[in-house]
């Protein structure tokens, strides 16, 4: 049987003919894996494509993917891979920046199932975990015990302990706690040949199997032989993560690897990027959670001074010293939410600030640290330069700003992107100032620039020059890397100081450690992995960093021409980093009109693999599948749009399945650092799909609801039969796909619009936009809103079609149901009716107020990308949710609403996803807080799971309920019986009632109804 290519050639993507050669082998591996394991075996092109990238610039098609259900699955898979000579690549969150998590191998994704805490010993301050556990989850689990695992990497919400050990990761507070290597006590490892052992201190390994003991002896012999070379070649800085840690025998790190100076073999596996063995579980050293923190923000008149003085500040033994440069400060100032936070940290117009954190048990000690910082800065000639932040909430807000600044930088549009390849060089602090200013000069010589941030304390400043990897980026990358490397050598620093070697830096291992140690690394690899099948081509046996055949955007990368239904021209731009300019929209040369470039914005950083109760990404939170993740969807779209998944991939069943569980919550629109807006992309996908593959009867029915709704309102008893006639619900499931387990919204005869008393257009100072759902299903909400507005003294006009509208009697509609089916032309027609009807009012500046978040916010979102011109923009600028309007008036001191107390003293609020995406939850809280004596609590919830018609569909019922059960339903069930439940979304209210059927079906209310009840009649 033909073997897969050997280590040195391993990472080159196979040409098509060669792929064919290995197809039989792939087939055999996948067939035999299916027999041997319980977990998921994913070998189709789409799944492989989703695992072909990490957060680096590379893309390599894996042989296949295994999502193991148990450690036994992994053992079986490794045995098969050895037999079939297929390489193995372990994977956690896939957030690596250097390409160490891509390769033509069987990818083993530990993150879905192998994520448990195995053992915990508070007295010994240790915890043992499986490799796929996410750092934040572990720390949340540990928190009640007053301890944490303190290697606080920025990707804590996504990265796994297995991946952190693989990369020897390090966090912002590494100066206080060290890197992974300083905090791992043992690793239970499995070798490709089935040998298994706990790697720990030399003594504890005496009882290991003979094969393992041979390895240990072999490694020791190599290290002994190379003692002098190790001392000569290993940079003596804390942040050195390149190569193998052969220096466990002759430590070069300024921080000892072990407390007693013993040799721990687990530390050899740390940082080995999965090239030696598979980590089955790890035992970690814990630290007490610091009870007190104090933050000092030092303001510097020049960047150089900030860098030059860092070493003196570090002398005060802070826990972190983090840099924010002028560009980041300006970015934060441009953001209305962050401006007040950053302003508080600034004194005048600094060129850079350093965030200096002191942490420990005793608050007074931390405050004393702050006082010493103030004194030091005076001594250094910068008196009055420190803003003191003893308050925890203020500190957190400022740390959040630092993170957000990076995100804004990553959202740069155009083909030039900040590229990570020298992002984490570490230099001794005394050279930091010179290093940064010389490198800045190198960037400008190469026609680019970079923004500096992060870990000043350890001389590891992050910087990503902006390069266009589709054009001259590779050439510039090498040139800049060479100049940077020369400086790093001159300053006796480490070229790889945080992110590992991977594909981008393994080539530099030889440069950093010299030929003797490189040869020794190969010997180590040979001892562990004689077949060369464990993540080949990383650390040893590597190719070139600028081998363009490995790039995500390889030479010849092409986008298939396509006419999108929505306007994506804002993404279709080119940028010039040197001049800091961006071309006009539509000038980027994207044959897909900007859609491809919008999709390509995903840089795989994995931020969407969040589990906290934000909104991104609910389908991932319940499935934990890469396919049902924003990143997975963006990757599949990118591959389809560039023809890498074969012809017609955009409208394939695979693509449909990938988009299927996206509930269009717009969580990614808000949370994705690079602005990937999958809800909008789903509209575009559905548009292309229905053009080619047509619409199901169910989709046709739901999308055209606003058209037939007037008929249903005339004969509500008939249209409501589905829920009352025995067998009708089951028939609707069989014939149309509506879940029989669901009730449907009830049609009403007493709809809002016909009966509502509307002021004339000319008299109005507010327009009320009654959406389809609140008009036909819950007219009491619209009535309540009208009454509240009128009680507050507004003259309200109710939005109606113009007399010359083609259907003057049919209510206006935002077109949301059409958009949800991809029927963009129909949605545009509805939008035109709305715009025409509201144009004269909007021209007078009359605010347009709506109740249903998904409808009203369509006016502010999708209306702007349907080619509707300036009228749409003016309307968007004038459209408010009911609560936003009231909150705006309140802020302006114009709200005259007399409210009295309610019988209920507490309100529990669930925000609709689109409210969250548009930052419109706070206004609900502000307005409810006007009710005397009402305490308002926000449920930390993600999508309710209903999401328009999504949850009504039989195919989605289970996922829909799982989403609701994540946090929303448990929270409302726990609420006291006299608590008000508030939810502005029609579907959210329905989901709460359905999901609590066992408790009698709890009823949530629109905020307008709550205010109506609180109105003081005078
Ligand atoms: C925006 C951003 C910020 C970042 N900030 C930091 C930071 O502050 N500090 C930092 O150190 N890094 C940082 N990183 C890099 C990365 O997030 C970390 O290195 C992280 O710890 C990797 O975890 P992961 O689970 O994603 O690992 P993966 O990328 O999945 O894997 C990392 C390596 O470990 C190997 N591996 C994974 N599981 C196993 C196993 N079971 N057995 C053997 N080998 C295994 C993989 O093969 C791979 O070589 C950042 C990345 C991004 C995109
Ligand atoms: S979709 Fe956004 S958050 Fe997710 S990986 Fe891509 S860029 Fe990151
Ligand atoms: S819109 Fe929501 S469900 Fe869809 S990808 Fe974005 S976060 Fe996930």
């Amino acid at each position: 049987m033909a073997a897969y290519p050997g280590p040195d050639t391993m990472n080159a993507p196979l040409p098509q003919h060669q792929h064919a050669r290995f197809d039989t082998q792939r087939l055999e591996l996948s067939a035999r894996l299916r027999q041997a394991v319980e977990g998921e075996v994913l070998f189709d092109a789409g799944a492989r494509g989703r695992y072909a990238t990490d957060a680096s610039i590379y893309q390599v098609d894996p042989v296949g993917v295994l999502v193991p259900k148990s450690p036994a699955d992994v053992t079986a898979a490794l045995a098969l891979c050895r037999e079939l000579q297929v390489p193995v690549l372990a994977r956690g969150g896939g957030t690596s920046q250097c390409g160490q998590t891509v390769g033509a191998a069987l990818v083993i994704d530990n993150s879905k199932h192998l994520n448990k805490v195995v053992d915990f010993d508070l007295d010994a301050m240790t915890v043992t975990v499986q490799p796929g556990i996410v750092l934040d989850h572990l720390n949340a689990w540990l928190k009640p015990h007053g301890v944490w695992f303190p290697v606080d990497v920025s990707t804590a919400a996504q990265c796994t302990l297995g991946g952190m050990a693989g990369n020897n990761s390090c966090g912002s507070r590494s100066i206080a706690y060290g890197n992974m290597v300083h905090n791992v006590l043992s690793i239970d490892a499995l070798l490709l040949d089935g040998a298994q052992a706990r790697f720990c201190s030399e003594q504890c390994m005496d009882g290991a199997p003979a094969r393992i003991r041979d390895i240990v002896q072999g490694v020791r012999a190599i290290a002994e032989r190379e003692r002098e070379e190790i001392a000569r070649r290993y940079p003596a800085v804390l942040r050195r993560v390149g190569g193998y840690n052969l220096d466990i025998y002759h430590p070069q790190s300024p921080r000892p690897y072990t407390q007693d100076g013993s040799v721990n073999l687990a530390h050899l596996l740390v940082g080995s990027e999965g090239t030696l063995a598979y980590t089955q579980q790890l035992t970690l050293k814990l630290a007490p959670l610091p009870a007190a923190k104090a933050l000092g923000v030092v303001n510097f008149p020049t960047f150089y001074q900030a860098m030059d003085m860092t070493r003196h500040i570090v002398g005060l033994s802070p826990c972190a010293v983090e840099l924010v440069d002028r560009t980041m400060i300006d970015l934060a100032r441009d953001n209305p939410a962050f401006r007040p936070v950053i302003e508080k940290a600034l004194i005048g117009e600094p060129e850079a600030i350093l965030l200096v954190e002191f942490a420990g048990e005793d608050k007074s000690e931390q405050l004393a640290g702050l006082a010493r910082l103030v004194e030091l800065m005076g001594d250094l000639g910068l008196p009055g330069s420190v803003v003191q932040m003893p308050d925890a909430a203020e500190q957190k807000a400022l740390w959040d700003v630092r993170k957000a600044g990076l995100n804004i930088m990553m959202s740069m549009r155009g083909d030039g992107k900040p590229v990570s390849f020298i992002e984490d060089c570490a230099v001794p602090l005394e050279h930091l100032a010179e290093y940064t200013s010389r490198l800045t000069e190198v960037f400008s010589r190469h026609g680019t620039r970079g923004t500096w941030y992060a870990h000043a304390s350890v001389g590891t400043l992050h910087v990503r020059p902006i390069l266009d990897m589709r054009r001259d980026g590779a050439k510039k990358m090498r040139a800049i890397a060479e100049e940077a490397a020369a400086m790093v050598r001159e300053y006796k620093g480490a070229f790889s100081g945080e992110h590992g070697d991977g594909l981008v830096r393994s080539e530099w291992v030889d440069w950093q450690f010299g030929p003797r140690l490189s040869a020794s690394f190969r010997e180590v690899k040979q001892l562990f992995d004689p077949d060369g099948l464990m993540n080949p081509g990383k650390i040893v046996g590597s190719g070139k960093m600028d081998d363009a055949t490995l790039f995500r955007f390889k030479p010849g990368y092409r986008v298939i021409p396509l006419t999108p239904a929505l306007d994506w021209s804002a993404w279709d731009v080119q940028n010039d980093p040197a001049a800091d300019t961006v071309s006009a929209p539509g000038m980027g040369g994207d044959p897909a009109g900007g859609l491809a470039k919008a999709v390509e914005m995903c840089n795989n950083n994995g931020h969407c693999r969040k589990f906290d109760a934000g909104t991104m990404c609910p389908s991932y939170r319940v499935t934990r599948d890469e396919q049902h993740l924003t990143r997975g969807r963006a990757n599949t779209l990118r591959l389809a749009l560039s023809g890498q998944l074969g012809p017609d991939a955009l409208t394939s069943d695979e693509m449909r399945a990938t988009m299927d569980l996206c509930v269009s919550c717009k969580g990614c629109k808000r949370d994705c650092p690079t602005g990937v807006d999958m809800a909008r992309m789903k509209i575009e996908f559905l548009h292309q799909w229905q053009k080619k593959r047509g619409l199901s009867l169910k989709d046709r029915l739901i999308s055209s609801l606003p058209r037939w709704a007037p008929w249903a309102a005339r004969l509500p008893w008939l249209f409501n039969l589905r829920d009352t006639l025995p067998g009708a619900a089951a028939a609707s499931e069989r014939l149309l796909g509506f879940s029989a387990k669901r009730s449907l919204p009830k049609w009403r005869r007493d709809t809002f619009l016909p009966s509502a008393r509307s002021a004339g257009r000319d008299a109005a100072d507010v327009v009320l936009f009654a959406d389809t759902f609140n008009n036909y299903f819950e007219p009491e909400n619209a009535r309540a809103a009208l009454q509240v507005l009128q009680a507050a003294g507004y003259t309200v006009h109710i939005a109606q079609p113009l007399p010359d509208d083609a259907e003057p009697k049919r209510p206006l509609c935002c077109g949301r149901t059409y958009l949800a089916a991809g029927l963009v032309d129909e949605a545009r027609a509805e939008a035109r009716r709305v715009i025409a009807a509201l144009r004269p009012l909007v021209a007078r500046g009359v605010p347009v107020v709506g109740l249903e978040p998904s409808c009203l916010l369509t006016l502010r979102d999708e209306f702007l990308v349907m080619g509707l011109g300036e009228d749409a923009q003016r309307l968007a600028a004038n459209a408010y949710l009911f609560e936003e309007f009231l909150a705006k008036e309140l802020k302006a001191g114009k709200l005259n609403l007399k409210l009295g107390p309610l019988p209920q003293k507490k309100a529990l609020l669930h925000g609709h996803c689109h409210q969250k995406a548009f930052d419109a939850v706070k206004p609900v809280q502000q307005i409810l807080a006007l009710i005397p004596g009402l305490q308002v609590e926000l449920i930390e919830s993600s999508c309710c799971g209903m999401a328009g018609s999504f949850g009504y569909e039989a195919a989605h019922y289970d996922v829909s309920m799982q989403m609701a059960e994540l946090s929303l339903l448990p929270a409302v069930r726990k609420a006291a019986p006299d608590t008000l439940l508030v939810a502005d979304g029609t579907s959210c209210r329905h989901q709460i009632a359905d999901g609590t059927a066992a408790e009698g079906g709890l009823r949530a209310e629109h905020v307008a109804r709550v205010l109506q009840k609180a109105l003081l009649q005078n």
Side-chain angles (χ1 to χ4, degrees):
M1 180 170 289
Y4 268 82
D8 290 352
T9 55
M10 195 60 250
N11 294 297
L14 297 174
Q16 282 307 314
H17 66 277
Q18 239 175 311
H19 259 310
R21 213 175 115 215
F22 295 112
D23 269 354
T24 16
Q25 200 174 12
R26 174 176 277 156
L27 277 177
E28 176 166 6
L29 178 62
S30 94
R32 291 187 55 191
L33 268 178
R34 277 175 225 279
Q35 286 170 352
V37 302
E38 269 186 286
E40 292 149 59
V41 178
L42 310 169
F43 273 56
D44 59 282
R48 296 203 316 270
R50 285 184 284 276
Y51 283 91
T53 38
D54 54 11
S56 70
I57 51 174
Y58 300 103
Q59 176 182 312
V60 182
D61 187 18
V63 176
V65 179
L66 168 68
V67 184
K69 233 182 185 151
S70 66
D73 278 359
V74 178
T75 311
L78 259 59
L80 266 177
C81 283
R82 187 177 188 220
E83 183 190 331
L84 300 176
Q85 291 288 289
V86 175
V88 175
L89 172 52
R91 180 175 167 121
T95 66
S96 293
Q97 295 193 13
C98 297
Q100 56 267 58
T101 321
V102 297
L106 176 72
V107 173
I108 301 180
D109 177 354
N110 303 304
S111 63
K112 183 167 178 176
H113 298 294
L114 303 184
N115 50 21
K116 313 285 177 305
V117 172
V118 178
D119 193 21
F120 172 55
D121 185 338
L122 184 57
D123 294 333
M125 295 287 278
T126 62
V127 68
T128 302
V129 295
Q130 289 185 317
I133 192 168
V134 169
L135 175 60
D136 269 358
H137 297 186
L138 173 63
N139 278 331
W141 191 94
L142 292 169
K143 196 173 177 189
H145 304 282
V147 293
W148 71 315
F149 184 64
V151 182
D152 58 335
V153 296
S154 307
T155 44
Q158 299 81 38
C159 67
T160 63
L161 268 299
M164 289 171 67
N167 285 351
N168 193 2
S169 294
C170 351
S172 296
R173 295 170 178 84
S174 62
I175 189 172
Y177 297 103
N179 314 342
M180 277 304 276
V181 70
H182 303 101
N183 291 280
V184 170
L185 296 174
S186 72
I187 290 181
D188 289 12
L190 177 66
L191 272 54
L192 190 75
D193 59 14
Q196 194 273 337
R198 172 158 300 175
F199 284 73
C200 43
S201 70
E202 271 195 311
Q203 297 89 313
C204 102
M205 294 200 66
D206 285 346
R211 157 95 173 97
I212 303 286
R213 286 204 314 275
D214 286 350
I215 292 177
V216 173
Q217 275 173 16
V219 174
R220 190 192 304 127
I222 296 168
E224 284 310 320
R225 189 188 71 209
E226 302 301 336
R227 174 186 277 269
E228 278 176 25
E229 194 68 355
I230 289 171
R232 212 160 65 82
R233 283 289 193 164
Y234 273 69
V237 290
L238 179 79
R239 293 300 202 95
R240 189 274 313 155
V241 304
Y244 290 133
N245 292 332
L246 259 186
D247 66 334
I248 54 174
Y249 288 93
H250 317 294
Q252 302 303 310
S253 169
R255 186 185 182 93
Y257 290 154
T258 55
Q259 274 163 357
D260 58 2
S262 62
V263 174
N264 186 326
L265 269 300
H267 296 165
L268 183 69
L269 297 181
V270 173
S272 66
E273 300 183 1
T275 60
L276 301 179
Y278 171 86
T279 298
Q280 295 173 304
Q281 58 181 46
L282 326 78
T283 299
L284 309 166
K285 187 169 80 182
L286 301 174
L289 264 174
K293 287 182 184 172
L295 185 66
V297 185
V298 189
N299 286 247
F300 293 91
T302 66
F303 181 83
Y304 190 92
Q305 277 172 304
M307 297 294 86
D308 194 35
M309 293 180 185
T310 297
R311 58 199 152 131
H312 304 296
I313 294 172
V314 166
L316 300 175
S317 304
C319 178
V321 183
E322 295 276 300
L323 167 75
V324 177
D325 80 350
R326 179 84 217 171
T327 313
M328 292 264 183
I329 292 172
D330 288 344
L331 288 171
R333 272 178 160 165
D334 285 347
N335 180 315
F338 295 140
R339 191 180 308 125
V341 181
I342 191 81
E343 292 286 359
K344 262 193 195 164
L346 303 181
I347 299 169
E349 296 291 330
E351 280 303 306
I353 54 175
L354 288 177
L355 276 55
V356 185
E357 182 182 274
F358 299 90
E361 286 305 294
D362 182 14
K363 186 82 184 176
S364 59
E365 265 179 37
Q366 314 321 318
L367 293 176
L370 215 49
R372 287 200 304 277
L373 176 67
V374 173
E375 196 185 326
L376 172 75
M377 294 320 297
D379 293 348
L380 291 173
L382 290 178
S385 61
V386 183
V387 176
Q388 300 184 50
M389 288 195 178
D391 176 61
E394 272 187 352
Q395 293 167 19
K396 185 179 174 309
L398 192 60
W399 283 118
D400 286 348
V401 168
R402 166 168 120 51
K403 282 190 199 165
L406 166 65
N407 292 345
I408 299 169
M409 188 182 86
M410 308 247 288
S411 65
M412 179 177 295
R413 293 180 187 177
D415 290 350
K417 302 282 184 209
V419 176
S420 167
F421 62 104
I422 47 160
E423 198 192 53
D424 52 338
C425 300
V427 296
L429 292 184
E430 61 269 30
H431 304 300
L432 201 53
E434 211 177 290
Y435 167 72
T436 47
S437 58
R438 282 176 65 190
L439 199 52
T440 301
E441 195 267 320
V442 171
F443 294 158
S444 82
R445 245 189 303 112
H446 290 283
T448 185
R449 65 193 163 86
T451 292
W452 296 92
Y453 62 98
H455 322 306
S457 56
V458 283
T460 306
L461 287 176
H462 288 335
V463 64
R464 294 183 180 196
I466 299 161
L467 299 176
D468 183 346
M469 296 311 288
R470 305 173 204 210
R471 296 178 180 84
D472 58 355
K475 214 167 120 214
K476 286 184 177 174
M477 175 170 78
R478 173 159 298 280
I480 294 172
E482 280 172 0
E483 292 197 48
M487 276 183 245
V488 168
R489 169 156 294 160
E490 192 182 325
Y491 299 132
K492 295 190 176 14
F495 195 54
S496 180
E498 181 170 299
H499 296 315
D501 290 331
L503 292 172
V504 83
R505 271 192 311 222
S506 291
E507 170 194 349
W508 297 86
V509 167
D510 191 54
W511 169 91
Q512 175 91 69
F513 295 94
R516 276 193 74 93
L517 286 179
S518 288
S520 305
F521 292 163
R522 284 196 292 277
E523 287 178 71
V524 172
K525 168 87 174 168
Q526 179 69 20
L527 283 170
F528 277 86
D529 178 28
D531 292 315
L533 293 174
M534 296 298 290
N535 200 7
K538 320 289 159 45
I539 302 181
V540 298
S542 71
K544 294 283 179 199
M545 71 187 301
D546 49 358
D547 177 352
T549 63
L550 303 184
F551 288 173
R552 195 180 307 176
F553 300 106
K554 301 180 198 324
Y557 178 88
R558 293 279 176 275
V559 167
I560 296 170
L562 172 142
T563 308
L566 299 174
D567 178 5
W568 297 92
S569 61
W571 280 267
D572 190 12
V573 294
Q574 285 305 348
N575 54 7
D576 178 346
D580 198 7
T581 54
V582 179
S583 73
M587 302 303 286
D590 181 350
L595 173 64
K597 286 200 191 296
V599 167
E600 290 160 5
M601 289 299 291
C602 172
N603 66 2
N604 277 259
N605 60 59
H607 196 63
C608 40
R609 291 170 65 97
K610 286 197 331 184
F611 295 90
D612 51 350
T615 53
M616 178 170 77
C617 166
S619 53
Y620 175 70
R621 287 179 70 203
V622 297
T623 63
R624 298 208 174 192
D625 288 336
E626 187 70 27
Q627 183 178 25
H628 301 303
L629 171 70
T630 321
R631 177 174 78 176
R633 295 185 179 111
N635 275 325
T636 317
L637 279 170
R638 177 175 55 79
L639 295 169
L641 284 167
S642 54
Q644 297 182 71
L645 292 178
D648 296 329
L650 190 59
T651 47
S652 64
D653 291 341
E654 154 72 22
M655 195 72 236
R656 173 110 203 174
T658 301
M659 301 304 281
D660 189 41
L661 299 189
C662 169
V663 286
S664 300
C665 67
K666 303 192 184 184
C668 43
K669 179 189 178 78
R670 185 192 66 171
D671 290 347
C672 166
T674 67
V676 171
D677 182 351
M678 194 52 65
R680 191 178 288 179
M681 289 170 191
K682 184 166 180 180
I683 296 173
E684 193 64 58
F685 155 72
L686 288 170
H687 177 79
Q688 305 296 334
W689 170 276
Q690 58 84 21
K691 258 193 351 191
K692 184 120 198 252
R693 314 264 312 245
L695 269 191
S696 69
L697 184 54
K698 168 182 59 68
D699 288 343
R700 208 174 285 283
L701 265 179
I702 298 173
S703 60
S704 57
L705 183 142
R707 290 198 157 273
W708 53 265
W711 293 100
R714 269 176 230 158
L715 301 167
W717 59 269
L718 180 64
F719 283 78
N720 289 336
L721 276 181
R722 186 269 188 195
D723 282 356
T724 51
L725 199 66
S732 80
E733 176 160 335
R734 253 192 339 274
L735 301 173
L736 294 170
F738 290 114
S739 169
K741 295 181 195 141
R742 288 275 185 204
S743 63
L744 293 183
K746 296 281 167 294
W747 291 99
R748 301 263 291 262
R749 189 185 282 281
D750 60 334
T751 56
F752 169 70
L753 283 168
S755 61
R757 292 238 320 273
S758 172
R761 281 198 172 83
D762 294 342
D765 40 27
V766 175
V767 187
L768 181 61
F769 178 82
D771 58 89
T772 303
F773 307 100
N774 281 304
N775 178 42
Y776 289 106
F777 300 128
E778 293 178 89
E780 55 276 12
N781 293 339
R783 288 193 189 102
L786 180 59
Q787 189 182 342
V788 171
L789 288 170
Q790 287 171 338
Y794 299 101
T795 307
V796 184
H797 169 73
I798 297 174
Q800 299 281 8
L802 288 179
D804 62 354
D805 187 293
E807 298 175 86
K809 292 221 158 49
R810 186 166 68 80
L812 293 171
C813 161
C814 69
R816 164 70 35 207
T817 57
Y818 290 116
L819 288 171
L823 296 170
V824 176
D825 296 338
E826 288 79 348
R828 189 181 293 111
E830 295 296 336
R832 287 209 167 104
R833 296 176 71 220
V834 174
I835 290 172
L838 299 178
R839 187 181 290 121
L841 291 136
V842 169
R844 279 204 294 119
V846 180
V848 177
V849 174
L851 301 175
E852 168 59 36
S854 59
C855 294
L856 187 279
L857 293 170
T858 304
L859 275 54
R860 296 226 297 254
D861 193 355
E862 287 85 355
F863 271 30
L864 298 176
V865 289
M866 290 198 283
L868 297 167
E870 285 185 7
D871 278 341
Q873 273 165 14
R874 276 193 283 269
L875 172 59
N878 236 29
Y880 303 92
L881 280 167
F882 173 73
E883 54 274 10
E884 288 181 306
F885 171 70
L886 295 183
K888 182 173 84 79
E889 294 289 280
L890 178 70
K891 191 169 174 204
K894 292 198 267 180
L895 186 64
N896 184 17
L897 202 52
K898 295 192 178 56
L899 300 171
L902 291 170
Q904 299 91 343
K905 296 292 163 242
K906 186 169 170 191
L908 204 51
L909 170 67
H910 164 70
H912 183 285
C913 292
H914 295 184
Q915 280 177 308
K916 291 176 198 151
F918 282 80
D919 236 349
V921 178
K922 212 166 178 190
V924 192
Q925 293 172 278
Q926 287 169 340
I927 292 305
L928 284 175
L930 296 178
I931 299 174
L934 187 69
Q935 184 209 337
V936 186
E937 193 185 308
L938 183 65
I939 304 174
E940 284 296 319
S941 55
S942 173
C943 177
C944 72
M946 196 60 118
S949 67
F950 180 88
Y952 291 103
E953 297 167 23
H956 295 148
Y957 178 79
D958 288 342
V959 168
S960 163
M961 293 316 295
Q962 284 165 17
M963 286 183 187
E965 290 293 352
L966 279 173
S967 40
L968 173 61
L969 292 180
V972 296
R973 279 191 203 112
K974 254 195 277 165
D978 64 344
T979 300
L980 271 175
L981 298 178
V982 184
D984 282 358
T986 307
S987 344
C988 312
R989 290 192 293 274
H990 201 104
Q991 180 76 314
I992 290 171
D994 269 12
T996 56
E999 289 81 14
L1002 298 176
R1003 282 190 59 80
E1005 295 176 293
H1006 193 283
V1007 64
R1009 292 269 284 151
V1010 181
L1011 290 189
Q1012 181 192 35
K1013 287 185 207 164
L1015 279 181
L1016 281 180
Q1017 308 299 336
N1018 48 6

